[in-house]
Amino acid sequence: MAISRLCPNISSVGQIGACSRNGSNSGSGRPKVSPQLNRWSRARAVRSGQKLERSNLRSQPAAPNSPPRPVPLPVEADEGVSVDGADVRLAKSIYMVSDGTGWTAEHCINAALGQFDYCLVDRGCPVSTHLFSGIDDAEKLLEITKQAAKEGALLVYTLADPSLASAAKRACKLWGVPSTDVLGPITEAIASHLGVSPSGLPRGASGLPLSDDYFRRIEAVEFTIKQDDGASPQNLAKADIVLTGVSRTGKTPLSIYLAQKGYRVANVPIVMGVPMPKTLFEVDPMKVFGLTINPLVLQNIRRARTKTMGLSSDGRSNYSEMDYVREELEFARRLFAQNPLWPVIDVTGKAIEETAAVVLRLYHDRKQKCTMPRISKRY
């Protein structure tokens, strides 16, 4: 009935399409997009910190008898727009300010935003993040705070310099900018616990001597690159961690991630018909970790890989065929069963950081000989 009121002369499906094209949205001329695809697209945009276009925001009609909305403070950026009587919210800004690289602030914000996926994606409350790193001057800090006040942004800062942190706190209070000091309370708590004063210098500040930890991480990255994909198996004993698994289980990116944390990592591929290096079974089994994955997920990854390499799916290789994938995973499972001291980590659906966290937890538990009860061999 709603359609007939808008287009009283409709007598066929074709006329419905013509009416919709000639209606209020005739300027767009775009076909209807699936709500699911629209939601995925918006999710990717939110994760990358992009501002969503107004046309991509899902309008939500106001509920009947709902209380009146509070009047927003006058800011430079719009709090929302009204489309056909429905309130559509624009991206809210979060400013991250640091006198160092901004790594801490950025990761804290990303971790916190992960708690609001249900809102960011499905409820139309997009967020736009802005990182300001290397802010070591009070004048620059005040300019950023003024801009945050104009945009109605939340300001999150990790300022190691106590004078800059105090200046940020005063400026935010003066201009009414909501703010959070991420680094200050933790630094004060540690200083009180240790009974010493903090240096007040950002991590990696110029003039500071390079620590042993820095050189250890550089050495670990160099070692890991040389040991990638089973290269130089005679050096496996020198590795802190050895990863093994079939192709496309994420051995290389996981190795590099762990190396950047200072661990010397070697990875050994499991390939049917190719004998495993003898040194893999001679090293300390407490530092060997097996990786496995769901066969369907692995097949999809391998298909994408073959397309990237320009290989046709109907070629001679059975690399991405399901029968071969299952057979290779079963071959790896038997190898893991023959070495029961190797923990097996299922990487299906896990980010590199999540898998690394499991590896490091098990690695340090074993190193410190923690006797925690283990429910299963697979993690």
Side-chain angles (χ1 to χ4, degrees):
M1 292 180 66
I3 293 176
S4 63
R5 283 199 299 270
L6 291 173
C7 308
N9 298 323
I10 290 175
S11 61
S12 68
V13 176
Q15 288 180 341
I16 291 176
C19 175
S20 63
R21 287 192 295 272
N22 295 329
S24 58
N25 295 330
S26 60
S28 63
R30 296 183 211 164
K32 245 182 152 183
V33 180
S34 161
Q36 177 110 3
L37 289 175
N38 191 28
R39 204 158 62 244
W40 287 343
S41 175
R42 287 164 51 205
R44 287 195 298 270
V46 168
R47 280 297 188 187
S48 61
Q50 299 175 6
K51 291 187 178 180
L52 299 183
E53 297 177 2
R54 295 183 184 184
S55 59
N56 289 338
L57 298 179
R58 186 176 68 186
S59 59
Q60 296 182 3
N65 303 325
S66 59
R69 294 179 179 274
V71 179
L73 294 174
V75 293
E76 188 176 274
D78 294 332
E79 289 292 330
V81 292
S82 180
V83 179
D84 296 333
D87 180 57
V88 179
R89 300 178 65 184
L90 299 181
K92 287 184 172 291
S93 295
I94 299 177
Y95 282 19
M96 300 172 287
V97 183
S98 171
D99 50 3
T101 61
W103 187 94
T104 302
E106 192 172 20
H107 281 69
C108 286
I109 290 296
N110 287 337
L113 285 176
Q115 301 297 314
F116 300 94
D117 278 348
Y118 70 96
C119 172
L120 297 175
V121 177
D122 295 329
R123 303 287 180 84
C125 52
V127 171
S128 179
T129 58
H130 307 273
L131 175 62
F132 301 89
S133 58
I135 305 301
D136 55 359
D137 181 77
E139 187 175 346
K140 294 178 185 177
L141 178 61
L142 294 181
E143 289 177 5
I144 294 169
T145 310
K146 284 181 184 178
Q147 183 63 28
K150 290 179 182 179
E151 286 195 21
L154 167 67
L155 193 144
V156 177
Y157 55 94
T158 53
L159 298 167
D161 187 340
S163 62
L164 282 178
S166 298
K169 185 176 181 180
R170 291 194 303 269
C172 289
K173 186 176 180 180
L174 176 64
W175 289 311
V177 177
S179 63
T180 299
D181 181 3
V182 175
L183 195 59
I186 300 174
T187 303
E188 291 174 6
I190 293 176
S192 176
H193 181 66
L194 299 179
V196 294
S197 299
S199 66
L201 296 173
R203 185 170 51 182
S206 59
L208 292 177
L210 296 176
S211 63
D212 293 338
D213 180 67
Y214 171 82
F215 291 105
R216 182 169 58 87
R217 285 187 283 118
I218 295 298
E219 180 188 354
V221 171
E222 291 177 349
F223 177 88
T224 301
I225 291 174
K226 292 178 181 178
Q227 302 301 132
D228 186 37
D229 205 25
S232 304
Q234 68 275 12
N235 293 329
L236 289 180
K238 300 177 181 177
D240 300 315
I241 296 171
V242 179
L243 305 175
T244 185
V246 301
S247 174
R248 301 289 111 189
T249 49
K251 298 184 298 297
T252 296
L254 179 59
S255 298
I256 297 298
Y257 182 86
L258 292 170
Q260 291 174 346
K261 291 181 174 291
Y263 299 92
R264 292 174 297 176
V265 186
N267 73 77
V268 180
I270 297 175
V271 182
M272 285 195 305
V274 178
M276 301 294 287
K278 294 181 181 179
T279 49
L280 177 63
F281 308 100
E282 296 170 355
V283 300
D284 184 359
M286 305 299 279
K287 62 182 182 182
V288 181
F289 296 84
L291 303 180
T292 190
I293 192 172
N294 178 275
L296 182 59
V297 175
L298 179 59
Q299 183 190 33
N300 291 333
I301 294 173
R302 287 187 174 185
R303 281 179 173 173
R305 175 63 173 169
T306 54
K307 287 181 180 179
T308 303
M309 297 176 66
L311 302 176
S312 59
S313 58
D314 56 350
R316 303 192 194 103
S317 174
N318 55 359
Y319 178 69
S320 59
E321 294 297 324
M322 179 54 76
D323 290 341
Y324 182 79
V325 167
R326 291 186 184 278
E327 191 177 354
E328 198 168 43
L329 285 172
E330 176 59 23
F331 177 76
R333 188 197 65 78
R334 292 196 300 268
L335 177 65
F336 297 151
Q338 294 168 7
N339 298 271
L341 292 181
W342 297 356
V344 180
I345 302 172
D346 190 342
V347 301
T348 307
K350 284 189 176 72
I352 294 297
E353 296 87 350
E354 294 176 293
T355 307
V358 176
V359 170
L360 293 180
R361 175 173 60 82
L362 295 173
Y363 173 78
H364 288 290
D365 284 352
R366 289 172 154 210
K367 199 172 183 180
Q368 297 166 11
K369 304 201 182 302
C370 294
T371 56
M372 296 291 290
R374 190 170 67 187
I375 298 173
S376 171
K377 182 175 177 288
R378 180 165 295 196
Y379 299 87

